[in-house]
Structure formats: structure tokens, C-alpha cells
Amino acid sequence: QVQLVESGGGLVQAGGSLRLSCEASGRTFSSYGWFRQAPGKEREFVAGISRSGSITYYSTYYTDSVKGRFTISRDNAKNTVYLRADSLKPEDTAVYYCAAALATFKGNAWPGDGMDYWGKGTLVTVSS
């Protein structure tokens, strides 16, 4: 049974940092993505990491609003993907979801309906 479990959300002041974790169990995936949904807004792609070419090479992708502030990484030995969020802004406040896919993706706008599994989400609140 596949499960994705996020952790690391919380309340942080503007300019602060958080590291979100997503531990996958049940199998490994080619792609992991972080998505977020703010109150009253649609879910949006934030960052993704996807196998590219060889089995050990991965590419990373970010939506424009987080480029230079967020960093996605994965630890295959732990089957865990991370999202380091620095210089947080109040507009980053949202529920952050981890998603996984068997397929590979490119670009900075991954389709949510292209992901195979989702976590339940972790809330990030950035105060001004």
C-alpha cells in the first residue's frame, strides 16, 4: 500500500525558513512534486524533482514565484523528498501537498491530475 506522509509545516514569520518532508512507503517513484493550495485559491504546482535520462540523474523544476527561495531534493535511501523553503512570504501561506508519479515530468507547471498518489497535506502559515 502506497502512502505519502508530509511533515514539517507550521507557523513562521516572514523571512523565515521551513523544511517540509514527504516520506513515501510502498514503492519508489520517478517523480515527486510539491503542490499548495491557499484559502480560496486553486491548487498550484510549487516544485518538482523528476528522473531525467539515467536512473540516478534528476532534474528539478520550480514555479516562478518560488525560484531562488525554495529547494526540492530527494533522498532515495530514505524514500523521502524534501522542500526547503527560505525567505518565506505571507503569500506562501497554504496547505502543502506532496505528490508522486511513476511518470517523468519536465517544466514548471506539472499537472496535478498527472500525479498518481497524494499525501494529506501540511499547513504552512507565514505571518507578516
PDB file of all heavy atoms in Angstrom, residues 6-29:
ATOM      1  N   GLU A   6       3.435  13.768   4.780  1.00  0.00           N
ATOM      2  CA  GLU A   6       4.162  15.037   4.875  1.00  0.00           C
ATOM      3  C   GLU A   6       4.354  15.426   6.337  1.00  0.00           C
ATOM      4  O   GLU A   6       3.551  15.084   7.205  1.00  0.00           O
ATOM      5  CB  GLU A   6       3.407  16.174   4.179  1.00  0.00           C
ATOM      6  CG  GLU A   6       3.091  15.949   2.724  1.00  0.00           C
ATOM      7  CD  GLU A   6       1.662  15.513   2.494  1.00  0.00           C
ATOM      8  OE1 GLU A   6       1.094  14.896   3.423  1.00  0.00           O
ATOM      9  OE2 GLU A   6       1.118  15.780   1.415  1.00  0.00           O
ATOM     10  N   SER A   7       5.403  16.186   6.568  1.00  0.00           N
ATOM     11  CA  SER A   7       5.651  16.755   7.888  1.00  0.00           C
ATOM     12  C   SER A   7       6.475  18.020   7.721  1.00  0.00           C
ATOM     13  O   SER A   7       7.022  18.272   6.644  1.00  0.00           O
ATOM     14  CB  SER A   7       6.378  15.766   8.800  1.00  0.00           C
ATOM     15  OG  SER A   7       7.636  15.424   8.252  1.00  0.00           O
ATOM     16  N   GLY A   8       6.554  18.811   8.795  1.00  0.00           N
ATOM     17  CA  GLY A   8       7.412  19.984   8.781  1.00  0.00           C
ATOM     18  C   GLY A   8       6.708  21.307   8.647  1.00  0.00           C
ATOM     19  O   GLY A   8       7.352  22.367   8.714  1.00  0.00           O
ATOM     20  N   GLY A   9       5.398  21.293   8.441  1.00  0.00           N
ATOM     21  CA  GLY A   9       4.681  22.555   8.353  1.00  0.00           C
ATOM     22  C   GLY A   9       4.599  23.239   9.703  1.00  0.00           C
ATOM     23  O   GLY A   9       4.975  22.681  10.727  1.00  0.00           O
ATOM     24  N   GLY A  10       4.110  24.471   9.695  1.00  0.00           N
ATOM     25  CA  GLY A  10       3.974  25.201  10.942  1.00  0.00           C
ATOM     26  C   GLY A  10       3.833  26.683  10.705  1.00  0.00           C
ATOM     27  O   GLY A  10       3.623  27.129   9.573  1.00  0.00           O
ATOM     28  N   LEU A  11       3.952  27.422  11.781  1.00  0.00           N
ATOM     29  CA  LEU A  11       3.851  28.876  11.741  1.00  0.00           C
ATOM     30  C   LEU A  11       5.246  29.474  11.757  1.00  0.00           C
ATOM     31  O   LEU A  11       6.075  29.121  12.597  1.00  0.00           O
ATOM     32  CB  LEU A  11       3.055  29.361  12.951  1.00  0.00           C
ATOM     33  CG  LEU A  11       2.965  30.881  13.151  1.00  0.00           C
ATOM     34  CD1 LEU A  11       2.217  31.529  11.993  1.00  0.00           C
ATOM     35  CD2 LEU A  11       2.274  31.189  14.491  1.00  0.00           C
ATOM     36  N   VAL A  12       5.501  30.386  10.835  1.00  0.00           N
ATOM     37  CA  VAL A  12       6.807  31.021  10.740  1.00  0.00           C
ATOM     38  C   VAL A  12       6.611  32.483  10.369  1.00  0.00           C
ATOM     39  O   VAL A  12       5.643  32.829   9.681  1.00  0.00           O
ATOM     40  CB  VAL A  12       7.693  30.287   9.710  1.00  0.00           C
ATOM     41  CG1 VAL A  12       7.096  30.371   8.321  1.00  0.00           C
ATOM     42  CG2 VAL A  12       9.113  30.794   9.737  1.00  0.00           C
ATOM     43  N   GLN A  13       7.518  33.319  10.811  1.00  0.00           N
ATOM     44  CA  GLN A  13       7.444  34.739  10.454  1.00  0.00           C
ATOM     45  C   GLN A  13       7.976  34.961   9.049  1.00  0.00           C
ATOM     46  O   GLN A  13       8.807  34.183   8.554  1.00  0.00           O
ATOM     47  CB  GLN A  13       8.258  35.568  11.450  1.00  0.00           C
ATOM     48  CG  GLN A  13       7.610  35.693  12.819  1.00  0.00           C
ATOM     49  CD  GLN A  13       8.338  36.684  13.701  1.00  0.00           C
ATOM     50  OE1 GLN A  13       9.548  36.850  13.602  1.00  0.00           O
ATOM     51  NE2 GLN A  13       7.601  37.353  14.582  1.00  0.00           N
ATOM     52  N   ALA A  14       7.513  36.017   8.436  1.00  0.00           N
ATOM     53  CA  ALA A  14       8.011  36.376   7.116  1.00  0.00           C
ATOM     54  C   ALA A  14       9.531  36.493   7.152  1.00  0.00           C
ATOM     55  O   ALA A  14      10.101  37.058   8.094  1.00  0.00           O
ATOM     56  CB  ALA A  14       7.386  37.690   6.658  1.00  0.00           C
ATOM     57  N   GLY A  15      10.166  35.942   6.122  1.00  0.00           N
ATOM     58  CA  GLY A  15      11.618  35.929   6.066  1.00  0.00           C
ATOM     59  C   GLY A  15      12.232  34.673   6.653  1.00  0.00           C
ATOM     60  O   GLY A  15      13.432  34.424   6.488  1.00  0.00           O
ATOM     61  N   GLY A  16      11.423  33.890   7.337  1.00  0.00           N
ATOM     62  CA  GLY A  16      11.916  32.670   7.966  1.00  0.00           C
ATOM     63  C   GLY A  16      11.978  31.494   7.005  1.00  0.00           C
ATOM     64  O   GLY A  16      11.731  31.638   5.800  1.00  0.00           O
ATOM     65  N   SER A  17      12.303  30.327   7.566  1.00  0.00           N
ATOM     66  CA  SER A  17      12.503  29.120   6.757  1.00  0.00           C
ATOM     67  C   SER A  17      11.790  27.931   7.375  1.00  0.00           C
ATOM     68  O   SER A  17      11.564  27.879   8.588  1.00  0.00           O
ATOM     69  CB  SER A  17      13.996  28.799   6.650  1.00  0.00           C
ATOM     70  OG  SER A  17      14.700  29.834   6.020  1.00  0.00           O
ATOM     71  N   LEU A  18      11.467  26.986   6.509  1.00  0.00           N
ATOM     72  CA  LEU A  18      10.921  25.707   6.935  1.00  0.00           C
ATOM     73  C   LEU A  18      11.472  24.634   6.013  1.00  0.00           C
ATOM     74  O   LEU A  18      11.821  24.917   4.864  1.00  0.00           O
ATOM     75  CB  LEU A  18       9.388  25.688   6.843  1.00  0.00           C
ATOM     76  CG  LEU A  18       8.561  26.403   7.906  1.00  0.00           C
ATOM     77  CD1 LEU A  18       7.081  26.347   7.523  1.00  0.00           C
ATOM     78  CD2 LEU A  18       8.782  25.774   9.275  1.00  0.00           C
ATOM     79  N   ARG A  19      11.512  23.401   6.520  1.00  0.00           N
ATOM     80  CA  ARG A  19      11.820  22.274   5.651  1.00  0.00           C
ATOM     81  C   ARG A  19      10.682  21.268   5.755  1.00  0.00           C
ATOM     82  O   ARG A  19      10.427  20.719   6.832  1.00  0.00           O
ATOM     83  CB  ARG A  19      13.141  21.597   6.011  1.00  0.00           C
ATOM     84  CG  ARG A  19      13.546  20.567   4.945  1.00  0.00           C
ATOM     85  CD  ARG A  19      14.848  19.865   5.246  1.00  0.00           C
ATOM     86  NE  ARG A  19      14.703  18.817   6.248  1.00  0.00           N
ATOM     87  CZ  ARG A  19      15.545  17.802   6.390  1.00  0.00           C
ATOM     88  NH1 ARG A  19      16.607  17.712   5.592  1.00  0.00           N
ATOM     89  NH2 ARG A  19      15.361  16.900   7.318  1.00  0.00           N
ATOM     90  N   LEU A  20      10.023  21.050   4.638  1.00  0.00           N
ATOM     91  CA  LEU A  20       8.957  20.061   4.575  1.00  0.00           C
ATOM     92  C   LEU A  20       9.545  18.732   4.133  1.00  0.00           C
ATOM     93  O   LEU A  20      10.463  18.694   3.312  1.00  0.00           O
ATOM     94  CB  LEU A  20       7.877  20.497   3.595  1.00  0.00           C
ATOM     95  CG  LEU A  20       7.285  21.893   3.801  1.00  0.00           C
ATOM     96  CD1 LEU A  20       6.168  22.134   2.786  1.00  0.00           C
ATOM     97  CD2 LEU A  20       6.777  22.073   5.209  1.00  0.00           C
ATOM     98  N   SER A  21       9.014  17.665   4.686  1.00  0.00           N
ATOM     99  CA  SER A  21       9.443  16.321   4.321  1.00  0.00           C
ATOM    100  C   SER A  21       8.245  15.521   3.849  1.00  0.00           C
ATOM    101  O   SER A  21       7.122  15.735   4.305  1.00  0.00           O
ATOM    102  CB  SER A  21      10.079  15.612   5.525  1.00  0.00           C
ATOM    103  OG  SER A  21      11.206  16.308   5.988  1.00  0.00           O
ATOM    104  N   CYS A  22       8.516  14.608   2.951  1.00  0.00           N
ATOM    105  CA  CYS A  22       7.482  13.702   2.461  1.00  0.00           C
ATOM    106  C   CYS A  22       8.090  12.311   2.359  1.00  0.00           C
ATOM    107  O   CYS A  22       8.975  12.081   1.534  1.00  0.00           O
ATOM    108  CB  CYS A  22       6.979  14.157   1.099  1.00  0.00           C
ATOM    109  SG  CYS A  22       5.858  12.995   0.289  1.00  0.00           S
ATOM    110  N   GLU A  23       7.645  11.436   3.233  1.00  0.00           N
ATOM    111  CA  GLU A  23       8.162  10.071   3.228  1.00  0.00           C
ATOM    112  C   GLU A  23       7.192   9.167   2.481  1.00  0.00           C
ATOM    113  O   GLU A  23       5.998   9.119   2.781  1.00  0.00           O
ATOM    114  CB  GLU A  23       8.349   9.558   4.649  1.00  0.00           C
ATOM    115  CG  GLU A  23       8.964   8.166   4.704  1.00  0.00           C
ATOM    116  CD  GLU A  23       9.255   7.705   6.115  1.00  0.00           C
ATOM    117  OE1 GLU A  23       9.006   8.473   7.071  1.00  0.00           O
ATOM    118  OE2 GLU A  23       9.737   6.571   6.270  1.00  0.00           O
ATOM    119  N   ALA A  24       7.725   8.470   1.501  1.00  0.00           N
ATOM    120  CA  ALA A  24       6.916   7.559   0.698  1.00  0.00           C
ATOM    121  C   ALA A  24       7.144   6.127   1.156  1.00  0.00           C
ATOM    122  O   ALA A  24       8.269   5.733   1.451  1.00  0.00           O
ATOM    123  CB  ALA A  24       7.279   7.697  -0.777  1.00  0.00           C
ATOM    124  N   SER A  25       6.091   5.371   1.202  1.00  0.00           N
ATOM    125  CA  SER A  25       6.203   3.959   1.534  1.00  0.00           C
ATOM    126  C   SER A  25       5.424   3.153   0.507  1.00  0.00           C
ATOM    127  O   SER A  25       4.465   3.635  -0.078  1.00  0.00           O
ATOM    128  CB  SER A  25       5.663   3.684   2.940  1.00  0.00           C
ATOM    129  OG  SER A  25       4.303   4.048   3.038  1.00  0.00           O
ATOM    130  N   GLY A  26       5.858   1.962   0.289  1.00  0.00           N
ATOM    131  CA  GLY A  26       5.139   1.086  -0.634  1.00  0.00           C
ATOM    132  C   GLY A  26       5.827   0.893  -1.964  1.00  0.00           C
ATOM    133  O   GLY A  26       5.723  -0.170  -2.564  1.00  0.00           O
ATOM    134  N   ARG A  27       6.509   1.910  -2.461  1.00  0.00           N
ATOM    135  CA  ARG A  27       7.275   1.811  -3.695  1.00  0.00           C
ATOM    136  C   ARG A  27       8.042   3.104  -3.912  1.00  0.00           C
ATOM    137  O   ARG A  27       7.855   4.079  -3.200  1.00  0.00           O
ATOM    138  CB  ARG A  27       6.376   1.507  -4.884  1.00  0.00           C
ATOM    139  CG  ARG A  27       5.427   2.613  -5.300  1.00  0.00           C
ATOM    140  CD  ARG A  27       4.929   2.329  -6.701  1.00  0.00           C
ATOM    141  NE  ARG A  27       6.056   2.280  -7.631  1.00  0.00           N
ATOM    142  CZ  ARG A  27       6.073   1.506  -8.706  1.00  0.00           C
ATOM    143  NH1 ARG A  27       5.039   0.730  -8.984  1.00  0.00           N
ATOM    144  NH2 ARG A  27       7.105   1.518  -9.530  1.00  0.00           N
ATOM    145  N   THR A  28       8.898   3.082  -4.907  1.00  0.00           N
ATOM    146  CA  THR A  28       9.622   4.293  -5.286  1.00  0.00           C
ATOM    147  C   THR A  28       8.999   4.873  -6.552  1.00  0.00           C
ATOM    148  O   THR A  28       8.319   4.168  -7.304  1.00  0.00           O
ATOM    149  CB  THR A  28      11.110   3.988  -5.530  1.00  0.00           C
ATOM    150  OG1 THR A  28      11.205   2.988  -6.544  1.00  0.00           O
ATOM    151  CG2 THR A  28      11.781   3.496  -4.255  1.00  0.00           C
ATOM    152  N   PHE A  29       9.239   6.154  -6.766  1.00  0.00           N
ATOM    153  CA  PHE A  29       8.632   6.854  -7.882  1.00  0.00           C
ATOM    154  C   PHE A  29       9.677   7.610  -8.689  1.00  0.00           C
ATOM    155  O   PHE A  29      10.707   8.014  -8.173  1.00  0.00           O
ATOM    156  CB  PHE A  29       7.574   7.845  -7.364  1.00  0.00           C
ATOM    157  CG  PHE A  29       6.419   7.174  -6.695  1.00  0.00           C
ATOM    158  CD1 PHE A  29       6.440   6.925  -5.324  1.00  0.00           C
ATOM    159  CD2 PHE A  29       5.311   6.760  -7.413  1.00  0.00           C
ATOM    160  CE1 PHE A  29       5.387   6.290  -4.700  1.00  0.00           C
ATOM    161  CE2 PHE A  29       4.249   6.132  -6.804  1.00  0.00           C
ATOM    162  CZ  PHE A  29       4.289   5.888  -5.442  1.00  0.00           C
TER     163      PHE A  29
END
